[in-house]
Amino acid sequence: MATVNLFEMTEHQSVEKPQNDSVKIISPHSDLKMKFLRCVALKDTVLMEFEAVKHGKDTKINFGSVANVAIDNAGKQYKPAYSVGGGKWRLGYTSLASMVTADVPISVRYRIINVPESVKAIKQLNLRLYSPQVKMSSELVKIMNIPITREKQMMQATDSSKTVDEDFY
């Protein structure tokens, strides 16, 4: 059986594109733009991927925080792990600042576990980003209405004889 890497799907295979319009991002940081790319789930693990672009000057930004929280459509809260630029998964309390080059997009992913299959969306993802260099410290980035694409939906969008690559666990 062939595997499908969820983050190397071609445009015609992507099932998330039509859903992007429902996602709303509110950021108090005018020099940091975040764009929703996709949210996929395999079993009880949900992976949310964003593209971040910092305008202005190069700086270190900590994308992890113990204050980060994801809230599903049933109101249950989860503490997300995060990965920047394809790096190691980290929890908020082991967070490290990542160098962000000005005007260069960087991949930022958040992962939550033990999410029931009945959950269809993340109603809100609250992120406390930190960078003393640009005075980012207390205000939350709020990302709302993130639809979850489940494994069954992904298989319908590709070839049902293929399996999904689970290497992002």
PDB file of all heavy atoms in Angstrom, residues 109-145:
ATOM      1  N   ARG A 109       3.206  24.490  13.546  1.00  0.00           N
ATOM      2  CA  ARG A 109       2.186  23.460  13.711  1.00  0.00           C
ATOM      3  C   ARG A 109       1.863  23.284  15.189  1.00  0.00           C
ATOM      4  O   ARG A 109       2.755  23.370  16.033  1.00  0.00           O
ATOM      5  CB  ARG A 109       2.665  22.134  13.124  1.00  0.00           C
ATOM      6  CG  ARG A 109       2.943  22.221  11.634  1.00  0.00           C
ATOM      7  CD  ARG A 109       3.354  20.898  11.036  1.00  0.00           C
ATOM      8  NE  ARG A 109       4.588  20.410  11.652  1.00  0.00           N
ATOM      9  CZ  ARG A 109       5.018  19.156  11.562  1.00  0.00           C
ATOM     10  NH1 ARG A 109       4.331  18.263  10.881  1.00  0.00           N
ATOM     11  NH2 ARG A 109       6.146  18.787  12.146  1.00  0.00           N
ATOM     12  N   TYR A 110       0.592  23.029  15.462  1.00  0.00           N
ATOM     13  CA  TYR A 110       0.129  22.727  16.811  1.00  0.00           C
ATOM     14  C   TYR A 110      -0.569  21.382  16.772  1.00  0.00           C
ATOM     15  O   TYR A 110      -1.321  21.093  15.839  1.00  0.00           O
ATOM     16  CB  TYR A 110      -0.820  23.821  17.321  1.00  0.00           C
ATOM     17  CG  TYR A 110      -0.094  25.123  17.561  1.00  0.00           C
ATOM     18  CD1 TYR A 110       0.007  26.081  16.573  1.00  0.00           C
ATOM     19  CD2 TYR A 110       0.534  25.366  18.783  1.00  0.00           C
ATOM     20  CE1 TYR A 110       0.706  27.261  16.793  1.00  0.00           C
ATOM     21  CE2 TYR A 110       1.225  26.539  19.010  1.00  0.00           C
ATOM     22  CZ  TYR A 110       1.308  27.486  18.009  1.00  0.00           C
ATOM     23  OH  TYR A 110       2.008  28.642  18.227  1.00  0.00           O
ATOM     24  N   ARG A 111      -0.312  20.554  17.791  1.00  0.00           N
ATOM     25  CA  ARG A 111      -0.859  19.200  17.846  1.00  0.00           C
ATOM     26  C   ARG A 111      -1.554  18.996  19.187  1.00  0.00           C
ATOM     27  O   ARG A 111      -1.007  19.326  20.237  1.00  0.00           O
ATOM     28  CB  ARG A 111       0.270  18.189  17.687  1.00  0.00           C
ATOM     29  CG  ARG A 111      -0.180  16.743  17.733  1.00  0.00           C
ATOM     30  CD  ARG A 111       0.992  15.810  17.648  1.00  0.00           C
ATOM     31  NE  ARG A 111       1.795  15.934  18.863  1.00  0.00           N
ATOM     32  CZ  ARG A 111       3.019  15.450  19.010  1.00  0.00           C
ATOM     33  NH1 ARG A 111       3.613  14.833  18.027  1.00  0.00           N
ATOM     34  NH2 ARG A 111       3.677  15.594  20.144  1.00  0.00           N
ATOM     35  N   ILE A 112      -2.773  18.452  19.128  1.00  0.00           N
ATOM     36  CA  ILE A 112      -3.481  18.089  20.348  1.00  0.00           C
ATOM     37  C   ILE A 112      -3.856  16.613  20.268  1.00  0.00           C
ATOM     38  O   ILE A 112      -4.054  16.080  19.178  1.00  0.00           O
ATOM     39  CB  ILE A 112      -4.719  18.978  20.611  1.00  0.00           C
ATOM     40  CG1 ILE A 112      -5.677  18.978  19.422  1.00  0.00           C
ATOM     41  CG2 ILE A 112      -4.288  20.400  20.948  1.00  0.00           C
ATOM     42  CD1 ILE A 112      -6.948  19.781  19.644  1.00  0.00           C
ATOM     43  N   ILE A 113      -3.923  15.973  21.437  1.00  0.00           N
ATOM     44  CA  ILE A 113      -4.206  14.540  21.480  1.00  0.00           C
ATOM     45  C   ILE A 113      -5.457  14.265  22.307  1.00  0.00           C
ATOM     46  O   ILE A 113      -5.950  15.144  23.004  1.00  0.00           O
ATOM     47  CB  ILE A 113      -3.005  13.750  22.033  1.00  0.00           C
ATOM     48  CG1 ILE A 113      -2.641  14.227  23.449  1.00  0.00           C
ATOM     49  CG2 ILE A 113      -1.805  13.860  21.105  1.00  0.00           C
ATOM     50  CD1 ILE A 113      -1.583  13.375  24.132  1.00  0.00           C
ATOM     51  N   ASN A 114      -5.939  13.041  22.184  1.00  0.00           N
ATOM     52  CA  ASN A 114      -7.133  12.580  22.902  1.00  0.00           C
ATOM     53  C   ASN A 114      -8.376  13.378  22.511  1.00  0.00           C
ATOM     54  O   ASN A 114      -9.215  13.693  23.358  1.00  0.00           O
ATOM     55  CB  ASN A 114      -6.920  12.612  24.421  1.00  0.00           C
ATOM     56  CG  ASN A 114      -5.784  11.706  24.848  1.00  0.00           C
ATOM     57  OD1 ASN A 114      -5.606  10.620  24.297  1.00  0.00           O
ATOM     58  ND2 ASN A 114      -4.993  12.160  25.798  1.00  0.00           N
ATOM     59  N   VAL A 115      -8.483  13.690  21.223  1.00  0.00           N
ATOM     60  CA  VAL A 115      -9.644  14.415  20.705  1.00  0.00           C
ATOM     61  C   VAL A 115     -10.639  13.381  20.170  1.00  0.00           C
ATOM     62  O   VAL A 115     -10.312  12.633  19.243  1.00  0.00           O
ATOM     63  CB  VAL A 115      -9.233  15.384  19.572  1.00  0.00           C
ATOM     64  CG1 VAL A 115     -10.437  16.140  19.045  1.00  0.00           C
ATOM     65  CG2 VAL A 115      -8.152  16.344  20.062  1.00  0.00           C
ATOM     66  N   PRO A 116     -11.843  13.317  20.734  1.00  0.00           N
ATOM     67  CA  PRO A 116     -12.828  12.343  20.254  1.00  0.00           C
ATOM     68  C   PRO A 116     -13.158  12.551  18.775  1.00  0.00           C
ATOM     69  O   PRO A 116     -13.144  13.680  18.279  1.00  0.00           O
ATOM     70  CB  PRO A 116     -14.062  12.620  21.124  1.00  0.00           C
ATOM     71  CG  PRO A 116     -13.555  13.370  22.304  1.00  0.00           C
ATOM     72  CD  PRO A 116     -12.350  14.126  21.841  1.00  0.00           C
ATOM     73  N   GLU A 117     -13.462  11.450  18.087  1.00  0.00           N
ATOM     74  CA  GLU A 117     -13.796  11.559  16.664  1.00  0.00           C
ATOM     75  C   GLU A 117     -15.071  12.349  16.421  1.00  0.00           C
ATOM     76  O   GLU A 117     -15.311  12.818  15.319  1.00  0.00           O
ATOM     77  CB  GLU A 117     -13.889  10.169  16.033  1.00  0.00           C
ATOM     78  CG  GLU A 117     -12.515   9.548  15.869  1.00  0.00           C
ATOM     79  CD  GLU A 117     -12.507   8.403  14.873  1.00  0.00           C
ATOM     80  OE1 GLU A 117     -13.318   8.405  13.929  1.00  0.00           O
ATOM     81  OE2 GLU A 117     -11.670   7.510  15.064  1.00  0.00           O
ATOM     82  N   SER A 118     -15.888  12.522  17.448  1.00  0.00           N
ATOM     83  CA  SER A 118     -17.116  13.308  17.300  1.00  0.00           C
ATOM     84  C   SER A 118     -16.840  14.805  17.178  1.00  0.00           C
ATOM     85  O   SER A 118     -17.698  15.560  16.726  1.00  0.00           O
ATOM     86  CB  SER A 118     -18.041  13.069  18.501  1.00  0.00           C
ATOM     87  OG  SER A 118     -17.377  13.441  19.701  1.00  0.00           O
ATOM     88  N   VAL A 119     -15.627  15.243  17.538  1.00  0.00           N
ATOM     89  CA  VAL A 119     -15.266  16.665  17.446  1.00  0.00           C
ATOM     90  C   VAL A 119     -15.051  17.019  15.977  1.00  0.00           C
ATOM     91  O   VAL A 119     -14.258  16.396  15.286  1.00  0.00           O
ATOM     92  CB  VAL A 119     -14.015  16.980  18.293  1.00  0.00           C
ATOM     93  CG1 VAL A 119     -13.539  18.406  18.045  1.00  0.00           C
ATOM     94  CG2 VAL A 119     -14.303  16.750  19.762  1.00  0.00           C
ATOM     95  N   LYS A 120     -15.762  18.024  15.517  1.00  0.00           N
ATOM     96  CA  LYS A 120     -15.706  18.433  14.109  1.00  0.00           C
ATOM     97  C   LYS A 120     -14.895  19.687  13.874  1.00  0.00           C
ATOM     98  O   LYS A 120     -14.532  19.998  12.745  1.00  0.00           O
ATOM     99  CB  LYS A 120     -17.128  18.672  13.571  1.00  0.00           C
ATOM    100  CG  LYS A 120     -18.044  17.477  13.711  1.00  0.00           C
ATOM    101  CD  LYS A 120     -17.569  16.309  12.899  1.00  0.00           C
ATOM    102  CE  LYS A 120     -18.518  15.145  13.030  1.00  0.00           C
ATOM    103  NZ  LYS A 120     -17.867  13.873  12.946  1.00  0.00           N
ATOM    104  N   ALA A 121     -14.633  20.460  14.947  1.00  0.00           N
ATOM    105  CA  ALA A 121     -13.914  21.725  14.779  1.00  0.00           C
ATOM    106  C   ALA A 121     -13.249  22.142  16.075  1.00  0.00           C
ATOM    107  O   ALA A 121     -13.664  21.756  17.162  1.00  0.00           O
ATOM    108  CB  ALA A 121     -14.881  22.820  14.332  1.00  0.00           C
ATOM    109  N   ILE A 122     -12.206  22.929  15.927  1.00  0.00           N
ATOM    110  CA  ILE A 122     -11.612  23.635  17.059  1.00  0.00           C
ATOM    111  C   ILE A 122     -12.239  25.017  17.028  1.00  0.00           C
ATOM    112  O   ILE A 122     -12.045  25.779  16.085  1.00  0.00           O
ATOM    113  CB  ILE A 122     -10.071  23.715  16.936  1.00  0.00           C
ATOM    114  CG1 ILE A 122      -9.462  22.317  16.863  1.00  0.00           C
ATOM    115  CG2 ILE A 122      -9.482  24.534  18.079  1.00  0.00           C
ATOM    116  CD1 ILE A 122      -9.780  21.421  18.041  1.00  0.00           C
ATOM    117  N   LYS A 123     -13.054  25.304  18.024  1.00  0.00           N
ATOM    118  CA  LYS A 123     -13.761  26.593  18.059  1.00  0.00           C
ATOM    119  C   LYS A 123     -12.799  27.744  18.286  1.00  0.00           C
ATOM    120  O   LYS A 123     -12.986  28.830  17.754  1.00  0.00           O
ATOM    121  CB  LYS A 123     -14.854  26.608  19.130  1.00  0.00           C
ATOM    122  CG  LYS A 123     -16.060  25.797  18.739  1.00  0.00           C
ATOM    123  CD  LYS A 123     -16.528  26.153  17.367  1.00  0.00           C
ATOM    124  CE  LYS A 123     -17.915  26.689  17.312  1.00  0.00           C
ATOM    125  NZ  LYS A 123     -18.348  27.030  15.980  1.00  0.00           N
ATOM    126  N   GLN A 124     -11.757  27.509  19.112  1.00  0.00           N
ATOM    127  CA  GLN A 124     -10.801  28.582  19.349  1.00  0.00           C
ATOM    128  C   GLN A 124      -9.455  28.008  19.758  1.00  0.00           C
ATOM    129  O   GLN A 124      -9.382  27.091  20.574  1.00  0.00           O
ATOM    130  CB  GLN A 124     -11.314  29.527  20.436  1.00  0.00           C
ATOM    131  CG  GLN A 124     -10.505  30.797  20.537  1.00  0.00           C
ATOM    132  CD  GLN A 124     -11.285  31.905  21.214  1.00  0.00           C
ATOM    133  OE1 GLN A 124     -12.462  32.096  20.937  1.00  0.00           O
ATOM    134  NE2 GLN A 124     -10.632  32.633  22.091  1.00  0.00           N
ATOM    135  N   LEU A 125      -8.412  28.551  19.163  1.00  0.00           N
ATOM    136  CA  LEU A 125      -7.034  28.248  19.533  1.00  0.00           C
ATOM    137  C   LEU A 125      -6.440  29.552  20.035  1.00  0.00           C
ATOM    138  O   LEU A 125      -6.333  30.519  19.281  1.00  0.00           O
ATOM    139  CB  LEU A 125      -6.250  27.713  18.328  1.00  0.00           C
ATOM    140  CG  LEU A 125      -4.758  27.445  18.530  1.00  0.00           C
ATOM    141  CD1 LEU A 125      -4.533  26.352  19.574  1.00  0.00           C
ATOM    142  CD2 LEU A 125      -4.102  27.062  17.205  1.00  0.00           C
ATOM    143  N   ASN A 126      -6.120  29.606  21.325  1.00  0.00           N
ATOM    144  CA  ASN A 126      -5.534  30.802  21.928  1.00  0.00           C
ATOM    145  C   ASN A 126      -4.036  30.595  22.045  1.00  0.00           C
ATOM    146  O   ASN A 126      -3.589  29.616  22.645  1.00  0.00           O
ATOM    147  CB  ASN A 126      -6.112  31.058  23.321  1.00  0.00           C
ATOM    148  CG  ASN A 126      -7.578  31.410  23.272  1.00  0.00           C
ATOM    149  OD1 ASN A 126      -8.074  31.965  22.298  1.00  0.00           O
ATOM    150  ND2 ASN A 126      -8.296  31.072  24.322  1.00  0.00           N
ATOM    151  N   LEU A 127      -3.266  31.530  21.487  1.00  0.00           N
ATOM    152  CA  LEU A 127      -1.811  31.426  21.495  1.00  0.00           C
ATOM    153  C   LEU A 127      -1.202  32.661  22.137  1.00  0.00           C
ATOM    154  O   LEU A 127      -1.504  33.786  21.726  1.00  0.00           O
ATOM    155  CB  LEU A 127      -1.281  31.292  20.067  1.00  0.00           C
ATOM    156  CG  LEU A 127      -1.843  30.141  19.235  1.00  0.00           C
ATOM    157  CD1 LEU A 127      -1.337  30.228  17.811  1.00  0.00           C
ATOM    158  CD2 LEU A 127      -1.495  28.803  19.871  1.00  0.00           C
ATOM    159  N   ARG A 128      -0.359  32.444  23.115  1.00  0.00           N
ATOM    160  CA  ARG A 128       0.399  33.549  23.705  1.00  0.00           C
ATOM    161  C   ARG A 128       1.811  33.447  23.145  1.00  0.00           C
ATOM    162  O   ARG A 128       2.568  32.556  23.509  1.00  0.00           O
ATOM    163  CB  ARG A 128       0.410  33.471  25.221  1.00  0.00           C
ATOM    164  CG  ARG A 128       1.267  34.593  25.820  1.00  0.00           C
ATOM    165  CD  ARG A 128       0.955  34.882  27.254  1.00  0.00           C
ATOM    166  NE  ARG A 128      -0.364  35.496  27.326  1.00  0.00           N
ATOM    167  CZ  ARG A 128      -1.246  35.245  28.300  1.00  0.00           C
ATOM    168  NH1 ARG A 128      -0.962  34.411  29.254  1.00  0.00           N
ATOM    169  NH2 ARG A 128      -2.416  35.845  28.304  1.00  0.00           N
ATOM    170  N   LEU A 129       2.131  34.335  22.217  1.00  0.00           N
ATOM    171  CA  LEU A 129       3.452  34.362  21.602  1.00  0.00           C
ATOM    172  C   LEU A 129       4.323  35.317  22.401  1.00  0.00           C
ATOM    173  O   LEU A 129       3.836  36.319  22.926  1.00  0.00           O
ATOM    174  CB  LEU A 129       3.350  34.823  20.148  1.00  0.00           C
ATOM    175  CG  LEU A 129       2.324  34.062  19.290  1.00  0.00           C
ATOM    176  CD1 LEU A 129       2.331  34.589  17.873  1.00  0.00           C
ATOM    177  CD2 LEU A 129       2.581  32.574  19.320  1.00  0.00           C
ATOM    178  N   TYR A 130       5.606  35.001  22.483  1.00  0.00           N
ATOM    179  CA  TYR A 130       6.481  35.817  23.308  1.00  0.00           C
ATOM    180  C   TYR A 130       7.765  36.166  22.571  1.00  0.00           C
ATOM    181  O   TYR A 130       8.413  35.297  21.990  1.00  0.00           O
ATOM    182  CB  TYR A 130       6.824  35.073  24.599  1.00  0.00           C
ATOM    183  CG  TYR A 130       7.787  35.828  25.475  1.00  0.00           C
ATOM    184  CD1 TYR A 130       7.373  36.952  26.180  1.00  0.00           C
ATOM    185  CD2 TYR A 130       9.116  35.432  25.583  1.00  0.00           C
ATOM    186  CE1 TYR A 130       8.258  37.664  26.978  1.00  0.00           C
ATOM    187  CE2 TYR A 130      10.008  36.129  26.383  1.00  0.00           C
ATOM    188  CZ  TYR A 130       9.570  37.248  27.073  1.00  0.00           C
ATOM    189  OH  TYR A 130      10.444  37.946  27.854  1.00  0.00           O
ATOM    190  N   SER A 131       8.111  37.446  22.573  1.00  0.00           N
ATOM    191  CA  SER A 131       9.383  37.918  22.055  1.00  0.00           C
ATOM    192  C   SER A 131       9.710  39.240  22.732  1.00  0.00           C
ATOM    193  O   SER A 131       9.076  40.248  22.443  1.00  0.00           O
ATOM    194  CB  SER A 131       9.340  38.117  20.541  1.00  0.00           C
ATOM    195  OG  SER A 131      10.576  38.662  20.102  1.00  0.00           O
ATOM    196  N   PRO A 132      10.675  39.242  23.626  1.00  0.00           N
ATOM    197  CA  PRO A 132      11.021  40.502  24.287  1.00  0.00           C
ATOM    198  C   PRO A 132      11.607  41.527  23.318  1.00  0.00           C
ATOM    199  O   PRO A 132      11.525  42.727  23.560  1.00  0.00           O
ATOM    200  CB  PRO A 132      12.050  40.080  25.346  1.00  0.00           C
ATOM    201  CG  PRO A 132      12.611  38.795  24.860  1.00  0.00           C
ATOM    202  CD  PRO A 132      11.509  38.139  24.071  1.00  0.00           C
ATOM    203  N   GLN A 133      12.158  41.066  22.204  1.00  0.00           N
ATOM    204  CA  GLN A 133      12.767  41.972  21.230  1.00  0.00           C
ATOM    205  C   GLN A 133      11.739  42.884  20.567  1.00  0.00           C
ATOM    206  O   GLN A 133      12.054  43.997  20.180  1.00  0.00           O
ATOM    207  CB  GLN A 133      13.501  41.179  20.145  1.00  0.00           C
ATOM    208  CG  GLN A 133      14.652  40.367  20.693  1.00  0.00           C
ATOM    209  CD  GLN A 133      15.183  39.403  19.662  1.00  0.00           C
ATOM    210  OE1 GLN A 133      14.435  38.802  18.901  1.00  0.00           O
ATOM    211  NE2 GLN A 133      16.495  39.246  19.645  1.00  0.00           N
ATOM    212  N   VAL A 134      10.513  42.399  20.400  1.00  0.00           N
ATOM    213  CA  VAL A 134       9.480  43.212  19.736  1.00  0.00           C
ATOM    214  C   VAL A 134       8.262  43.425  20.628  1.00  0.00           C
ATOM    215  O   VAL A 134       7.181  43.711  20.168  1.00  0.00           O
ATOM    216  CB  VAL A 134       9.061  42.596  18.383  1.00  0.00           C
ATOM    217  CG1 VAL A 134      10.182  42.701  17.373  1.00  0.00           C
ATOM    218  CG2 VAL A 134       8.594  41.158  18.540  1.00  0.00           C
ATOM    219  N   LYS A 135       8.456  43.262  21.932  1.00  0.00           N
ATOM    220  CA  LYS A 135       7.417  43.514  22.931  1.00  0.00           C
ATOM    221  C   LYS A 135       6.145  42.695  22.718  1.00  0.00           C
ATOM    222  O   LYS A 135       5.047  43.195  22.827  1.00  0.00           O
ATOM    223  CB  LYS A 135       7.102  45.007  23.000  1.00  0.00           C
ATOM    224  CG  LYS A 135       8.291  45.817  23.464  1.00  0.00           C
ATOM    225  CD  LYS A 135       7.940  47.266  23.658  1.00  0.00           C
ATOM    226  CE  LYS A 135       9.111  47.997  24.252  1.00  0.00           C
ATOM    227  NZ  LYS A 135       9.934  48.703  23.406  1.00  0.00           N
ATOM    228  N   MET A 136       6.307  41.419  22.373  1.00  0.00           N
ATOM    229  CA  MET A 136       5.176  40.494  22.311  1.00  0.00           C
ATOM    230  C   MET A 136       5.170  39.754  23.639  1.00  0.00           C
ATOM    231  O   MET A 136       6.107  39.039  23.937  1.00  0.00           O
ATOM    232  CB  MET A 136       5.351  39.473  21.185  1.00  0.00           C
ATOM    233  CG  MET A 136       5.439  40.028  19.810  1.00  0.00           C
ATOM    234  SD  MET A 136       5.925  38.748  18.630  1.00  0.00           S
ATOM    235  CE  MET A 136       4.365  38.065  18.210  1.00  0.00           C
ATOM    236  N   SER A 137       4.134  39.916  24.458  1.00  0.00           N
ATOM    237  CA  SER A 137       4.191  39.198  25.721  1.00  0.00           C
ATOM    238  C   SER A 137       2.843  38.769  26.277  1.00  0.00           C
ATOM    239  O   SER A 137       2.728  37.677  26.780  1.00  0.00           O
ATOM    240  CB  SER A 137       4.928  40.013  26.771  1.00  0.00           C
ATOM    241  OG  SER A 137       4.236  41.212  27.031  1.00  0.00           O
ATOM    242  N   SER A 138       1.828  39.591  26.221  1.00  0.00           N
ATOM    243  CA  SER A 138       0.642  39.228  26.996  1.00  0.00           C
ATOM    244  C   SER A 138      -0.632  39.017  26.177  1.00  0.00           C
ATOM    245  O   SER A 138      -1.481  38.242  26.574  1.00  0.00           O
ATOM    246  CB  SER A 138       0.380  40.287  28.065  1.00  0.00           C
ATOM    247  OG  SER A 138       0.165  41.540  27.450  1.00  0.00           O
ATOM    248  N   GLU A 139      -0.780  39.685  25.077  1.00  0.00           N
ATOM    249  CA  GLU A 139      -2.031  39.573  24.334  1.00  0.00           C
ATOM    250  C   GLU A 139      -2.070  38.299  23.506  1.00  0.00           C
ATOM    251  O   GLU A 139      -1.080  37.896  22.917  1.00  0.00           O
ATOM    252  CB  GLU A 139      -2.216  40.798  23.437  1.00  0.00           C
ATOM    253  CG  GLU A 139      -2.377  42.082  24.228  1.00  0.00           C
ATOM    254  CD  GLU A 139      -2.638  43.260  23.330  1.00  0.00           C
ATOM    255  OE1 GLU A 139      -3.743  43.328  22.767  1.00  0.00           O
ATOM    256  OE2 GLU A 139      -1.729  44.079  23.180  1.00  0.00           O
ATOM    257  N   LEU A 140      -3.243  37.684  23.470  1.00  0.00           N
ATOM    258  CA  LEU A 140      -3.414  36.415  22.776  1.00  0.00           C
ATOM    259  C   LEU A 140      -3.698  36.587  21.290  1.00  0.00           C
ATOM    260  O   LEU A 140      -4.437  37.496  20.886  1.00  0.00           O
ATOM    261  CB  LEU A 140      -4.586  35.642  23.377  1.00  0.00           C
ATOM    262  CG  LEU A 140      -4.441  35.164  24.814  1.00  0.00           C
ATOM    263  CD1 LEU A 140      -5.744  34.517  25.266  1.00  0.00           C
ATOM    264  CD2 LEU A 140      -3.293  34.192  24.954  1.00  0.00           C
ATOM    265  N   VAL A 141      -3.132  35.685  20.493  1.00  0.00           N
ATOM    266  CA  VAL A 141      -3.578  35.497  19.118  1.00  0.00           C
ATOM    267  C   VAL A 141      -4.726  34.512  19.219  1.00  0.00           C
ATOM    268  O   VAL A 141      -4.591  33.450  19.841  1.00  0.00           O
ATOM    269  CB  VAL A 141      -2.453  34.936  18.226  1.00  0.00           C
ATOM    270  CG1 VAL A 141      -2.985  34.591  16.841  1.00  0.00           C
ATOM    271  CG2 VAL A 141      -1.289  35.909  18.143  1.00  0.00           C
ATOM    272  N   LYS A 142      -5.880  34.848  18.650  1.00  0.00           N
ATOM    273  CA  LYS A 142      -7.045  33.966  18.699  1.00  0.00           C
ATOM    274  C   LYS A 142      -7.364  33.497  17.292  1.00  0.00           C
ATOM    275  O   LYS A 142      -7.560  34.306  16.389  1.00  0.00           O
ATOM    276  CB  LYS A 142      -8.245  34.702  19.286  1.00  0.00           C
ATOM    277  CG  LYS A 142      -8.038  35.108  20.733  1.00  0.00           C
ATOM    278  CD  LYS A 142      -9.235  35.841  21.280  1.00  0.00           C
ATOM    279  CE  LYS A 142      -8.974  36.252  22.715  1.00  0.00           C
ATOM    280  NZ  LYS A 142     -10.098  36.959  23.299  1.00  0.00           N
ATOM    281  N   ILE A 143      -7.414  32.178  17.130  1.00  0.00           N
ATOM    282  CA  ILE A 143      -7.748  31.578  15.839  1.00  0.00           C
ATOM    283  C   ILE A 143      -9.030  30.800  16.059  1.00  0.00           C
ATOM    284  O   ILE A 143      -9.087  29.912  16.909  1.00  0.00           O
ATOM    285  CB  ILE A 143      -6.602  30.688  15.331  1.00  0.00           C
ATOM    286  CG1 ILE A 143      -5.299  31.503  15.294  1.00  0.00           C
ATOM    287  CG2 ILE A 143      -6.940  30.112  13.954  1.00  0.00           C
ATOM    288  CD1 ILE A 143      -4.061  30.702  15.032  1.00  0.00           C
ATOM    289  N   MET A 144     -10.070  31.155  15.312  1.00  0.00           N
ATOM    290  CA  MET A 144     -11.404  30.601  15.570  1.00  0.00           C
ATOM    291  C   MET A 144     -11.954  29.834  14.377  1.00  0.00           C
ATOM    292  O   MET A 144     -11.600  30.102  13.234  1.00  0.00           O
ATOM    293  CB  MET A 144     -12.349  31.740  15.941  1.00  0.00           C
ATOM    294  CG  MET A 144     -11.941  32.413  17.251  1.00  0.00           C
ATOM    295  SD  MET A 144     -12.850  33.905  17.592  1.00  0.00           S
ATOM    296  CE  MET A 144     -11.968  35.052  16.567  1.00  0.00           C
ATOM    297  N   ASN A 145     -12.826  28.880  14.703  1.00  0.00           N
ATOM    298  CA  ASN A 145     -13.580  28.100  13.712  1.00  0.00           C
ATOM    299  C   ASN A 145     -12.676  27.303  12.777  1.00  0.00           C
ATOM    300  O   ASN A 145     -12.779  27.395  11.555  1.00  0.00           O
ATOM    301  CB  ASN A 145     -14.516  29.006  12.915  1.00  0.00           C
ATOM    302  CG  ASN A 145     -15.484  29.740  13.811  1.00  0.00           C
ATOM    303  OD1 ASN A 145     -15.998  29.173  14.771  1.00  0.00           O
ATOM    304  ND2 ASN A 145     -15.713  31.008  13.522  1.00  0.00           N
TER     305      ASN A 145
END
